[in-house]
Amino acid sequence: GSLGASGPAGAGAFDIEGALRTALAHHQAGRLDEAKELYRRVLRAEPKQADALNLLGVAVQDGGDDAEAVRLIRRAIAIDGGEAHYYTNLGNALQAAGEVDEAVAVYRQGLALDPGAAKAHNNLGTALRAQNRLTEAVACYRRALEIDGEYASAWSNLGAVLAALYRLDEASSALRRALMIDPDLADALANLGNVLHIQGKLAEAEEAMRRALEIDPGYAMAYSNLGNLQKDLGRFEEAEESLTRALEINPSYARAKNNFAFTLLVQGDFARAWGYYAARDSVQEVPQGLWRKPLPKELNGKEILVLRDQGLGDEIFFLRFAPQLKERGAVITYLAHAKIAPVLARLAFIDKFAKEGETPEEGDFTLSVADLPLALGMKSAADIPASLTLTPEPGRTDAMRVKLASFGPAPYVGVTWRAGTKNEPGAFFKLAPLGEIAKALGATDGTVLVLQRHPEAGEIEEFGHGLGREAHDLTALNDDLEDMLALLALLDEYVTVSNTNVHLRAGAGGTCRVLVPNPAEYRWMAEGDESPWFPGSKVYRQGVDGDWGTAFRTLTSDLGRSLGGRVTL
C-alpha cells in the first residue's frame, strides 16, 4: 500500500506529527505491533485524524485483517475524501478481501484525483487481471510505466499478463526489464521461469524459479511452477516435493493442487490424484455447489445432476463412469454440450437431458462429470471402466460407406496432427510433425482422409505432397459429430494426436495410433506403449529431448504391417 502521510496537525501536548513519523518508521521496518500501537495512540488523542486511520488500515491489512483495513480506510476517506492515496490503499484492502469489483471502482476514484499515480494504475491493472480483463490490465501497466519507467513491479506484472495472453516474446522482454531494474524481484523471476517453461527452455526456466525461491523461500507460486516443470521433465519425486511445499505455504492454492493432480494422474496414482483434480480451473466459477467427495454406496432413487465439464472429449471420457451411478440406483440428469448431446441422447443409462442454456433442477447431488472418478472411489487402473459405447445412426453409416467408396478402395486411414488450443496457457496443446506422418503413410496402401479440425492455409496440400497421393479433405465433419462418429466407426486406421475424435473412435469400438508429444497428457500416462484408458490403441511418444525419430520409425513399421506397402506400377 501507499504509506504517505499528508502533514497532520498537533493536538495539545501530544506530538501527533512526531508520533506518526515514528509509527511510519516502525511500519516501514516491518515492526507492525509498534506501528499499530502508535497509530492507535494518535487516534485516542484525535479520533478523526485521517492519516492515522489510513495508516492503521494499511498496517492491519499487512497483518492479515483485510475487513478491518477496509473499515478503517473508509473512515479516513469519510473524513478527508481528497487524498488519492487513501483510495489506492482502500482498493488494495478490498482486493485482498476478494471484493475485486469494488476495488476497481475505488482505484478509479483515486485516479480521478491523481491521474499521475503510477502505483494506482499498477494496482488497478492487478484487479482487472483478477477479473480476467487482461487487455485492460495491460493498458494499466503500460500507463504506470509511462509515468515511471523504472517501476520494476509494473514491468513484472505486465510480463505476467502478456504471458497469460500467450504473447511470450513480449512477456519475456518485460520480465527481463523488471530484473534489470531489480535483480532480486522474486515475482519477475518466477514469471520468467514460467514463460521459459512454455517456450521449452527448461534449464533456464528451472534456474529462474530456483533463484526466485532463494530470494523468497516462502513463495508458493514459484514452488508450484517448479513442481510443474519437474513433472514435465519426468522428475516426479522432486515434483511432488515442490508441490507439497507450495501447499504447506498456501493450503488453498488451487493451481498447485491442479499441478499436483496432473503429476499423480500421469503416473497412475489415481487414489491420491482425484482429490487434487477437484481444484481444477474449470470448476472454480461453477455457480452450483458441486459434490466433491465419495458418494454413498446406495443411491436408490436419488436424483443426481451431472454437469458437463471442459471439452467434448472430456465429456465422453468421464461419462464412462456414469453407469456406476445407475448400478447404485441413481436417477441421472445430464447437462451436455449441445454439439455432443444428440450422440449422448442414445445412452440408455441417462434418464433425462438438460438443455443448453437452461438452469436444470438440482437433485440430491450435483456433480461435475469430471469428478465422477472421485465420487465413485476410483483408486487404481483396475477401476477404469471401458469407454462408452457410442452407436452411430444406421442411415449415416450407410451414407458414409458410400462416400468412402467414392474416394477409393479400402483400407481407409484417418489423420489428425494438431489438437487443443495453443494460446491458452494451462490448456493441452498437441502437435505432431505433419511431414513425418505423411512420410509414414506414403509408404503404405490406403485411402487417406484428413480429419484435422481447422487446418491452416496450405496444410492439406503440404500433407498431400508429402504423402505422394491425394489426401481427401473431410475436415468439415468436425462440425457434425454424428457424421464423424459414423466415419470413425468405418476407418481401418486412425493416426492422430489426442483429440475428441479419439474418444468418439473408442466409443465406436475402434482403436487409434496416438502420437503423444512430450510431456504426455495424463490420459496417455508417463510411459508405456498403451494407456489403460484406451486399451488396444498404440502410443508413439516424442522423446524428452523433443525427438520424434523412434516414434516414427516404429509407426512406419507398424503401419506397413497393418496396411501393406504400396504397389508402384
Side-chain angles (χ1 to χ4, degrees):
S2 302
L3 296 178
S6 57
F14 180 58
D15 181 4
I16 286 179
E17 187 171 350
L20 279 174
R21 278 198 304 270
T22 303
L24 193 54
H26 284 311
H27 193 165
Q28 290 169 331
R31 297 185 292 270
L32 289 184
D33 288 343
E34 292 91 332
K36 286 189 282 190
E37 176 54 33
L38 273 174
Y39 292 144
R40 289 187 175 108
R41 279 191 66 192
V42 170
L43 289 167
R44 284 195 291 273
E46 178 51 71
K48 292 189 176 181
Q49 219 298 329
D51 268 344
L53 286 163
N54 167 60
L55 291 167
L56 179 58
V58 175
V60 299
Q61 189 201 338
D62 290 345
D65 191 343
D66 302 321
E68 177 65 1
V70 168
R71 187 187 71 79
L72 288 163
I73 302 170
R74 283 198 198 282
R75 281 181 58 197
I77 290 171
I79 293 163
D80 183 356
E83 290 290 338
H85 66 278
Y86 290 2
Y87 293 89
T88 301
N89 292 339
L90 178 57
N92 296 346
L94 287 164
Q95 191 171 177
E99 302 293 337
V100 181
D101 292 351
E102 192 173 355
V104 167
V106 167
Y107 286 133
R108 293 196 192 282
Q109 284 180 276
L111 285 166
L113 292 169
D114 182 6
K119 185 182 288 290
H121 285 289
N122 175 72
N123 295 6
L124 173 57
T126 301
L128 292 167
R129 179 183 172 193
Q131 295 178 318
N132 207 34
R133 294 160 66 180
L134 301 185
T135 304
E136 293 174 75
V138 166
C140 288
Y141 295 134
R142 291 204 188 282
R143 180 71 187 108
L145 291 164
E146 286 170 9
I147 296 164
D148 180 1
E150 297 298 297
Y151 191 171
S153 290
W155 280 114
S156 178
N157 291 335
L158 175 62
V161 174
L162 290 169
L165 290 165
Y166 222 80
R167 290 157 59 179
L168 299 181
D169 290 340
E170 292 175 79
S172 177
S173 177
L175 292 163
R176 291 184 192 280
R177 179 67 185 275
L179 290 165
M180 286 175 63
I181 299 164
D182 182 356
D184 292 336
L185 188 58
D187 276 347
L189 283 161
N191 286 321
L192 179 60
N194 209 34
V195 169
L196 291 166
H197 183 182
I198 297 168
Q199 291 176 319
K201 300 172 183 176
L202 304 187
E204 289 179 71
E206 183 166 2
E207 184 181 351
M209 291 172 187
R210 290 197 181 280
R211 176 78 182 112
L213 288 166
E214 284 174 15
I215 295 163
D216 183 359
Y219 195 176
M221 186 185 86
Y223 272 113
S224 178
N225 289 354
L226 177 60
N228 195 41
L229 172 65
Q230 290 163 330
K231 181 261 293 181
D232 286 356
L233 288 166
R235 289 155 45 190
F236 298 117
E237 190 172 324
E238 293 175 65
E240 289 190 37
E241 289 174 4
S242 295
L243 293 163
T244 298
R245 183 75 188 104
L247 290 168
E248 285 171 351
I249 295 165
N250 181 358
S252 63
Y253 189 9
R255 180 52 56 88
K257 291 179 183 179
N258 204 41
N259 289 341
F260 215 143
F262 290 126
T263 300
L264 296 171
L265 286 170
V266 79
Q267 297 178 81
D269 188 347
F270 302 114
R272 289 195 292 156
W274 298 119
Y276 289 111
Y277 189 67
R280 63 196 173 280
D281 292 346
S282 62
V283 293
Q284 296 306 309
E285 302 301 325
V286 175
Q288 287 97 336
L290 295 178
W291 182 268
R292 293 180 189 167
K293 56 186 176 181
L295 284 163
K297 292 294 182 186
E298 295 294 329
L299 294 170
N300 294 330
K302 295 293 185 184
E303 296 271 353
I304 296 188
L305 171 61
V306 182
L307 305 176
R308 70 165 194 246
D309 190 0
Q310 304 171 92
L312 299 174
D314 296 281
E315 289 191 59
I316 302 168
F317 179 75
F318 285 111
L319 266 175
R320 67 176 70 196
F321 287 92
Q324 294 180 30
L325 297 175
K326 180 60 62 180
E327 289 165 11
R328 296 189 189 187
V331 178
I332 303 171
T333 300
Y334 185 62
L335 175 62
H337 190 287
K339 190 173 179 181
I340 194 70
V343 173
L344 300 180
R346 297 194 289 278
L347 295 171
F349 61 82
I350 296 177
D351 299 287
K352 293 179 276 188
F353 274 86
K355 291 182 180 176
E356 184 98 26
E358 73 180 15
T359 302
E361 280 187 36
E362 295 190 41
D364 298 291
F365 302 95
T366 299
L367 292 86
S368 156
V369 68
D371 284 328
L372 286 176
L374 172 66
L376 292 162
M378 182 201 168
K379 296 286 193 293
S380 72
D383 300 325
I384 296 178
S387 295
L388 288 182
T389 298
L390 301 174
T391 307
E393 291 182 323
R396 301 223 189 203
T397 304
D398 294 340
M400 192 58 65
R401 194 174 279 114
V402 171
K403 190 181 187 80
L404 288 177
S406 73
F407 293 141
Y412 298 108
V413 185
V415 178
T416 299
W417 52 81
R418 183 180 58 252
T421 311
K422 188 173 185 179
N423 61 350
E424 286 184 15
F428 291 114
F429 178 68
K430 288 115 345 182
L431 177 65
L434 172 156
E436 292 296 326
I437 300 173
K439 183 178 174 184
L441 284 168
T444 68
D445 292 325
T447 299
V448 178
L449 315 162
V450 175
L451 307 185
Q452 177 61 51
R453 186 168 181 259
H454 299 319
E456 295 175 1
E459 275 190 322
I460 295 176
E461 292 77 7
E462 179 188 347
F463 181 79
H465 181 75
L467 184 67
R469 60 190 189 272
E470 184 178 4
H472 301 277
D473 181 358
L474 287 179
T475 59
L477 295 189
N478 288 287
D479 295 323
D480 186 338
L481 296 188
E482 289 281 20
D483 276 347
M484 180 61 83
L485 178 63
L487 170 69
L488 291 167
L490 296 173
L491 290 181
D492 296 286
E493 291 279 4
Y494 185 24
V495 180
T496 184
V497 292
S498 184
N499 70 98
T500 298
N501 292 342
V502 169
H503 302 277
L504 290 170
R505 170 90 168 150
T511 60
C512 304
R513 299 190 184 274
V514 186
L515 294 157
V516 176
N518 184 77
E521 182 188 346
Y522 76 88
R523 276 178 267 254
W524 304 102
M525 315 304 290
E527 58 187 17
D529 294 333
E530 193 174 288
S531 165
W533 295 102
F534 296 95
S537 288
K538 189 161 182 183
V539 173
Y540 303 84
R541 299 181 184 276
Q542 182 186 29
V544 176
D545 60 359
D547 182 56
W548 283 99
T550 300
F552 276 99
R553 284 191 293 275
T554 307
L555 176 65
T556 301
S557 174
D558 289 350
L559 288 172
R561 282 194 296 272
S562 170
L563 300 172
R566 291 192 69 198
V567 178
T568 305
L569 299 177

